[in-house]
């Protein structure tokens, strides 16, 4: 399955054995729980990861327990000696105050369905030491209570609670239940600070009468470590929100999201609670969804039986997901109105648009019996409908639908997830209420890699590739597996280039965790548009109004969200880094080199220093010796390209990443570019290893093998991929590519590749060519064809390595061209001194005389200083030898 669920907690394994052992030790026998296992269930998952659960013994007594996620130990919190049904529960961080919502069981012993008029009681218990039990409220409606930093409940008038329950137990006999009582779900607010206990605890009370209050409870220590409530007769409280129809609690981040209806418009609001402050209304955002004020829905307020999961279609599904990058997603599924298709929407507020997906359900006979489940997976949102589909939506890059994965059908892929109601918690935690299991969810790398091999459609390959690369554990292993897949499917994609997408996406994900703004500044895909439809999925994209921030100072997540919103408002549509500037600069430097004009040496030296840093970091990435013979030469052109890219990318990030140190940005740039070069090296290493090539193949005395043909093809595809994106190549790439080209291609194909820029002639490759090949007719033809295509500066050096009339002819031509470049014809005597020449060939003698006169001038000698053994005499001899060869004499 694309989603892997690893159980962090299981009631059957982590709690039940200990309860049976404790019951046996008390003499009650392990059978106490055998017939009451149905009563054992999870009530709440606290911010620190501890899990509160409840169960009943054979007498109906209600027990509260806590599983410590760090010590993996269970702790008994409290016991109510009365047959009550627990609706919700929370404990403060210090485990001194327990808040619980209870309802009397029916005579038949089954759970009360909590219809209006049910007898409900919301209590706060001092459990360390065992002391007072206090009632928060009693009204004719339901109430949920969420503890913030710690919690306490107010005892309303008309209720009597015993002041000193014995030994942590309370029989409930002295409590008078009114005819209609308020049901309370309490949640303690827990701060991040885990040092000294706070003197004040905070408790949220959520009422079905559509208001939320916060109680402030001060506690004091008595008798050593004992903690009791101070001034319990009067607890300060304040109204947090009212007139809402939906609310969601984020335990990890201590945030309350709720929806108000204003003139038939749904307005999403968020309140942030702090340990050292009170709370702030952070933003308001309009939602284009249909919520009725007659309904009432709560998310993540603990376990509740008020919603019948079998009748999900009567209620819309709504939830809010965030992550550390500053994303804000609202997922919404309306009431089901068709058995043939189902629709859901995702509001990407951090991107400024929403997407509405309509998924075909297949046969109309396949009725939907469960509701849509939305799960937060950090960079992805999973949308799951049991037996029908499983979608992985990319929330970081939702612009292109091909970056999301859509799995459909009633098969093992979809059916492996639990079919019961799942609750998505912070930190990719998922709670299965039915089984009492807490899972840690992440993407299943093994399944995704296997799916990558089996995928036949381009959009599936694109989506899975990005899913795999987002898994940041053991990236070297993942990259090796992807490279292996690319080498086997190099031409399998028609909508995008596999090598391009791999290099761009992998280098992006390697640096993305450094700062959340990288998705705005660096390209994350080689694909700019995607128009191909995905079978079974209909998609509508719409712009949405951005959230209105209600605060003026931001930190943490809110700073990143605000940055995302500002980017949507004011940034250019395409602010991603592009190599277009580097392309112009590089061509300018190459052109200056050919003309002999070069800008200041300091500028060029700085560019080459940048390249040296990148190459050093590249070599440090791979400590073991590489099989591929790269880094064997000073590839100045590629080094200039690498250095220019460092300079331009650093300037780009400095312009947009305000507040980030210059040194850190420079390090990020070096990491990014060296990563791109390293990926190319990894592809070559994989090909080299796969075909078992020798580390050094620079020899021309035998024909190429099939393995060398395959590697040459891979290198050509790499060159095509990097050329269109104008990405640098590791030094030595062109040399190795040319050597393989000479060995693999017929002469006419080789020259065609050279003339069209596919093969670039380097000094190292041509030098090896001149030394290795003999002077047979075939080799001479090859050498001459190569030499005449060399750049002048390289050609002058190479010609001197080939002791051949053809080489002498080329050297002579270049020498004459330089001498006559600025030559102005002067009057000369018509009488030629024949005694100076060995051959009576007047045209040649006349021309040689002109060259001799030019060479005799001091200006010419200075201009051509260093070209030993090349003079008029050498030109004459070369001309005669060449004529002889042409005439076949």
């Amino acid at each position: 399955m694309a989603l892997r669920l690893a159980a962090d907690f299981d009631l059957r394994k982590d709690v039940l054995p200990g309860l049976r052992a404790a019951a046996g030790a008390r003499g009650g026998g392990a059978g106490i729980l055998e017939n009451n296992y149905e009563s054992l269930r999870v009530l709440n998952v606290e911010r620190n990861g501890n899990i509160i659960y409840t169960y009943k013994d054979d007498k109906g007594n209600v027990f509260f327990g806590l599983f410590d996620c760090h010590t993996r130990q269970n702790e008994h919190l409290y016991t109510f000696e009365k047959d009550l049904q627990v609706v919700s529960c929370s404990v403060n961080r210090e485990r001194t105050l327990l808040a619980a919502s209870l309802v009397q069981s029916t005579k038949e012993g089954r759970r009360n369905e909590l219809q209006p008029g049910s007898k409900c009681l919301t209590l706060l218990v001092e459990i360390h030491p065992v002391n007072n039990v206090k009632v928060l409220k009693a009204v004719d409606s339901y109430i949920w209570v969420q503890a913030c930093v710690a919690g306490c409940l107010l005892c309303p008038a008309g209720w009597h609670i015993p002041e000193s329950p014995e030994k942590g137990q309370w029989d409930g006999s002295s409590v008078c239940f009114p005819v209609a009582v308020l049901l309370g779900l309490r949640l303690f607010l827990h701060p991040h600070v885990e040092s000294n206990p706070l003197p004040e605890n905070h408790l949220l009370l959520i009422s079905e009468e559509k208001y939320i209050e916060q109680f402030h409870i001060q506690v004091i220590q008595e008798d050593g470590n004992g903690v009791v409530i101070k001034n319990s007769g009067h607890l300060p409280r304040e109204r947090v929100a009212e007139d809402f129809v939906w609310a969601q609690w984020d335990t990890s981040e201590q945030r309350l999201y709720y929806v108000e209806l204003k003139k038939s418009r749904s307005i999403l609001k968020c309140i942030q609670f702090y340990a050292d402050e009170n709370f702030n209304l952070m933003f308001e955002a309009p939602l284009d969804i249909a919520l009725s004020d007659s309904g009432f829905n709560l998310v993540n307020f603990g376990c509740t039986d008020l919603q019948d999961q079998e009748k999900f279609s009567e209620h819309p599904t709504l939830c809010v997901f965030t992550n550390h990058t500053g994303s804000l997603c609202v997922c919404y599924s309306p009431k089901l109105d068709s058995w043939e298709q189902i629709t859901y929407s995702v509001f990407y507020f951090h991107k400024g648009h929403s997407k509405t997906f309509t998924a075909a359900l297949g046969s109309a006979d396949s009725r939907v019996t469960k509701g849509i489940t939305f799960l937060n997976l950090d960079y992805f949102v999973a949308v799951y409908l049991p037996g029908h589909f499983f979608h992985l939506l990319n929330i970081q890059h939702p612009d292109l639908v091909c970056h999301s994965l859509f799995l459909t059908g009633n098969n093992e892929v979809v059916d492996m997830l639990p079919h019961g109601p799942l609750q998505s918690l912070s930190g990719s935690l998922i709670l299965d209420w039915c089984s009492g299991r807490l899972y840690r969810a992440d993407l299943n790398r093994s399944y995704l890699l296997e799916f990558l091999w089996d995928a036949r459609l381009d959009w599936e390959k694109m989506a899975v590739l990005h899913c795999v690369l987002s898994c940041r554990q053991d990236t070297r292993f993942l990259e090796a597996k992807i490279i292996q897949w690319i080498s086997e499917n190099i031409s399998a994609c028609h909508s995008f280039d596999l090598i391009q997408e791999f290099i761009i996406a992998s280098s992006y994900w390697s640096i993305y965790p450094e700062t959340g703004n990288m998705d705005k500044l660096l390209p994350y895909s080689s694909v700019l548009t995607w128009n191909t439809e995905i079978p079974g999925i209909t998609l509508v994209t719409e712009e949405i109004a951005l959230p209105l921030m209600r605060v003026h100072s931001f930190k943490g997540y809110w700073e990143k969200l605000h940055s995302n919103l500002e980017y949507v408002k004011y940034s250019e549509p395409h602010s991603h880094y592009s190599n277009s500037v580097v392309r112009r600069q590089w061509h300018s430097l190459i052109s200056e080199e050919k003309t002999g004009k070069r800008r200041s040496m300091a500028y060029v030296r700085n560019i080459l220093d940048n390249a040296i840093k990148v190459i050093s970091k590249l070599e440090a990435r791979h400590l073991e010796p590489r099989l591929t013979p790269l880094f064997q030469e000073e590839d100045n052109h590629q080094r200039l390209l690498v250095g220019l890219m460092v300079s331009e990318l650093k300037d780009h990030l400095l312009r947009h990443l305000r507040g980030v140190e210059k040194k850190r940005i420079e390090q990020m740039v070096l990491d990014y570019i060296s990563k791109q070069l390293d990926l190319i090296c990894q592809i070559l290493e994989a090909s080299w290893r796969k075909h078992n090539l020798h580390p050094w193949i620079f020899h021309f005395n035998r024909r190429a093998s099939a393995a060398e043909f395959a590697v040459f093809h891979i290198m050509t595809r790499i060159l095509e991929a990097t050329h269109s994106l104008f990405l640098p190549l590791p030094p030595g790439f062109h040399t190795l590519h040319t050597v393989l080209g000479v060995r693999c291609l017929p002469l006419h194909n080789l020259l065609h590749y050279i003339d069209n820029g596919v093969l670039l002639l380097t000094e190292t490759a041509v030098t090896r060519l001149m030394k290795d090949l003999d002077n047979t007719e075939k080799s001479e033809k090859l050498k001459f064809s190569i030499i005449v295509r060399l750049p002048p500066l390289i050609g002058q050096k190479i010609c001197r390595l080939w002791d051949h009339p053809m080489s002498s002819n080329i050297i002579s031509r270049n020498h004459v061209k330089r001498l006559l470049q600025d030559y102005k014809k002067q009057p000369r005597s018509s009488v030629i001194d024949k005694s100076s020449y060995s051959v009576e060939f007047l045209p040649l003698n006349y021309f040689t005389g002109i060259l001799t006169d030019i060479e005799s001038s001091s200006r010419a000698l200075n201009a051509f200083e260093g070209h030993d053994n090349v003079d008029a005499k050498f030109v004459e001899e070369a001309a005669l030898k060449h004529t002889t060869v042409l005439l076949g004499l």
Side-chain angles (χ1 to χ4, degrees), residues 73-99:
Q73 299 295 320
N74 290 283
E75 175 184 340
H76 174 252
L77 294 177
Y78 200 76
T79 301
F80 284 99
E81 292 184 347
K82 187 171 180 64
D83 190 2
L84 301 170
Q85 180 63 42
V86 182
V87 177
S88 65
C89 181
S90 185
V91 67
N92 65 346
R93 189 190 65 189
E94 295 78 23
R95 305 180 195 175
T96 58
L97 301 175
L98 175 72

Side-chain angles (χ1 to χ4, degrees), residues 307-371:
Q307 300 178 32
D308 189 352
Q309 295 294 331
E310 298 297 327
K311 300 179 180 179
F312 83 96
S313 59
E314 299 179 3
H315 305 282
T317 302
L318 181 67
C319 54
V320 179
F321 293 144
T322 62
N323 72 5
H324 64 282
T325 65
S327 67
L328 175 61
C329 288
V330 178
C331 303
Y332 171 70
S333 175
K335 299 178 183 179
L336 180 66
D337 56 4
S338 171
W339 297 110
E340 297 180 355
Q341 62 184 21
I342 193 165
T343 299
Y344 65 89
S345 300
V346 180
F347 296 82
Y348 303 95
F349 280 107
H350 58 293
K351 296 294 184 180
H353 65 261
S354 67
K355 291 183 181 293
T356 299
F357 301 87
T358 301
L361 297 182
S363 174
D365 296 333
S366 179
R367 296 177 65 86
V368 179
T369 59
K370 302 290 182 180

Side-chain angles (χ1 to χ4, degrees), residues 128 244 484 845:
H128 187 68
F244 66 93
Q484 182 183 357
N845 293 345

